[in-house]
Amino acid sequence: MDTRTRGPSDDGGIEGEELRSFLERVRAALSLEDLESVRVALLGRRGLLSEKLRALGALPPSERAARGERLNGFRREFESALADRRRALEESASEGRLRAAAVDVTLPGRGRRPGSVHPLSRAIDDILRIFQARGFVPVDGPEIEDEEHNFTALNIPPEHPARALHDTFYVPGGRLLRTHTSPVQIRSLEDEGPPLRVLAVGRVYRRDADVTHMPMFHQVEGLWVDEGVSFAVLKGLLTDALQEFFARELPVRFRPSYFPFTEPSAEVDVGCVFCDGKGCRVCKGSGWLEVLGSGLVHPALYRRLGIDPARWSGLAFGLGVERLTMLRDRVSDIRYFYDNDLRFLRSPRGESYVCD
Ligand code: PHE
């Protein structure tokens, strides 16, 4: 049946043309909203077709049946065109969404950078390498210590003023956060006994915080006990190790000092790396920077552990990793190590944070 020439009414096809224009509008609709407004214009409560269907009731029965059939026939045609268009629009909408969300897995990644080793880890690796090459074996000890290992066995009795100097964090149960790595000396002597050559790297804790102090920092402890370990051995070992760490022939000096667990004791200085010994703000005009504590193991430590001090002698040293790294890599504030600022972490030696 050619509906363009035979419309749903008897008015010579004009009504048919008008209704058919709705089919065109359906096919031309560009969105679901467009489509809905075409539907409402035809089939809504006041829609053109709805009104025509309502008007059927007023017709004489003889005309009503034929006209009703034509109008309903058109209505079915319209509804099926509507459904087709809706499906097509929905499909392309979801395709558009999928296209927008698509990931092109063939594109190169953006801003990929290799990670880098933390400046402190780099320094610890260097220190371990330097001392392992000289026969030291890495060992560990607990960060939560007892007073016995942190103080008493190190010849620091309860009333000793050095205890107060350590600004200790105490934890419940009479224990404490170790204030230095020296308790590992005791644990190694207890566990292995001489001869031994051990190196302990780890966290230590003191109540302290400013540009050069953190309540937690890292120390390296070295202990070498054997027959005939002398002060000359200590001097040679530490001089070489420091020059290797700083990668320079720095002057190194041993200055008499006091630690309860070593006798004799020495603090070790290197020529100031900032002014080459001429005197500056960092070395407070002295030309020297203190970098570690050391000495020969005090006989009182051996006696307590039943080790014969006439046969065995040893050297011990302790150094602060943050301090040593700040001096070598010219880091002006200890807190940079813990801020996780990528500008600092990415600079190979903290250059962007150079202090002068
Ligand atoms: N434990 C000492 C400190 O924390 C350093 C030290 C270690 C000194 C070993 C002598 C021997 O300051």
Side-chain angles (χ1 to χ4, degrees):
M1 175 173 85
D2 184 357
T3 45
R4 253 175 311 184
T5 52
R6 283 196 59 207
S9 79
D10 299 329
D11 58 5
I14 298 195
E15 183 184 44
E17 290 296 320
E18 191 184 13
L19 288 173
R20 302 211 63 77
S21 74
F22 280 87
L23 294 177
E24 291 311 313
R25 286 171 63 189
V26 164
R27 291 184 192 113
L30 290 175
S31 68
L32 291 167
E33 294 75 45
D34 278 0
L35 202 61
E36 177 61 8
S37 69
V38 179
R39 191 194 66 78
V40 169
L42 194 74
L43 291 178
R45 233 165 36 82
R46 290 171 193 278
L48 187 64
L49 191 58
S50 307
E51 282 183 351
K52 288 186 190 298
L53 288 166
R54 263 199 301 278
L56 280 176
L59 288 178
S62 58
E63 289 174 34
R64 197 188 298 160
R67 183 168 164 75
E69 201 176 305
R70 273 197 301 279
L71 289 177
N72 277 313
F74 177 76
R75 179 199 178 112
R76 281 192 294 277
E77 200 181 336
F78 177 79
E79 282 176 338
S80 108
L82 201 66
D84 286 350
R85 188 66 191 146
R86 173 170 295 129
R87 216 172 304 115
L89 284 173
E90 278 170 355
E91 232 160 67
S92 74
S94 85
E95 253 170 43
R97 268 196 303 278
L98 286 176
R99 244 195 314 278
V103 173
D104 182 350
V105 294
T106 66
L107 284 175
R110 262 182 302 224
R112 283 177 305 172
R113 280 172 182 268
S116 57
V117 179
H118 192 280
L120 284 180
S121 301
R122 209 159 43 211
I124 288 170
D125 291 347
D126 289 345
I127 294 166
L128 279 168
R129 191 175 34 72
I130 288 167
F131 285 99
Q132 279 179 282
R134 289 160 174 80
F136 285 79
V137 175
V139 293
D140 260 332
E143 288 176 30
I144 299 177
E145 264 296 3
D146 45 47
E147 300 205 37
E148 172 71 19
H149 287 89
N150 196 80
F151 293 126
T152 315
L154 285 163
N155 201 27
I156 314 174
E159 67 291 343
H160 197 287
R163 287 206 184 192
L165 292 178
H166 276 214
D167 291 319
T168 313
F169 286 111
Y170 286 91
V171 297
R175 295 199 294 170
L176 48 81
L177 301 183
R178 66 179 178 189
T179 57
H180 52 175
T181 41
S182 298
V184 185
Q185 288 188 35
I186 303 300
R187 292 187 178 276
S188 299
L189 288 170
E190 285 171 349
D191 293 349
E192 290 190 44
L196 56 75
R197 214 182 300 189
V198 292
L199 195 75
V201 183
R203 296 164 190 261
V204 300
Y205 302 84
R206 292 181 196 178
R207 293 170 175 272
D208 223 345
D210 59 38
V211 293
T212 56
H213 295 87
M214 293 281 284
M216 184 282 295
F217 61 103
H218 294 77
Q219 278 192 341
V220 172
E221 189 87 12
L223 175 68
W224 179 356
V225 182
D226 206 329
E227 290 174 1
V229 176
S230 65
F231 202 85
V233 174
L234 173 73
K235 282 188 77 173
L237 173 74
L238 294 180
T239 303
D240 285 354
L242 285 169
Q243 290 180 342
E244 195 170 331
F245 180 78
F246 283 97
R248 285 160 69 170
E249 297 241 325
L250 280 176
V252 177
R253 79 174 179 187
F254 290 71
R255 189 165 32 78
S257 184
Y258 173 75
F259 299 103
F261 35 93
T262 47
E263 182 57 36
S265 302
E267 275 172 326
V268 183
D269 301 338
V270 294
C272 181
V273 290
F274 298 99
C275 61
D276 286 326
K278 287 192 270 294
C280 67
R281 189 175 53 79
V282 182
C283 62
K284 300 198 177 77
S286 74
W288 294 97
L289 297 165
E290 182 200 322
V291 290
L292 52 84
S294 68
L296 296 185
V297 179
H298 197 296
L301 272 62
Y302 299 134
R303 280 196 290 271
R304 249 179 140 267
L305 298 167
I307 296 166
D308 179 6
R311 179 172 175 206
W312 303 103
S313 64
L315 63 83
F317 58 90
L319 57 85
V321 179
E322 280 80 351
R323 175 167 169 78
L324 217 55
T325 309
M326 287 174 79
L327 297 177
R328 184 182 70 171
D329 297 350
R330 298 173 171 248
V331 178
S332 58
D333 189 324
I334 193 171
R335 289 168 290 204
Y336 288 140
F337 291 127
Y338 300 104
D339 283 346
N340 286 332
D341 183 330
L342 289 177
R343 290 168 300 176
F344 171 72
L345 296 177
R346 278 178 186 150
S347 62
R349 288 218 185 275
E351 285 99 345
S352 51
Y353 291 79
V354 165
C355 71
D356 48 25

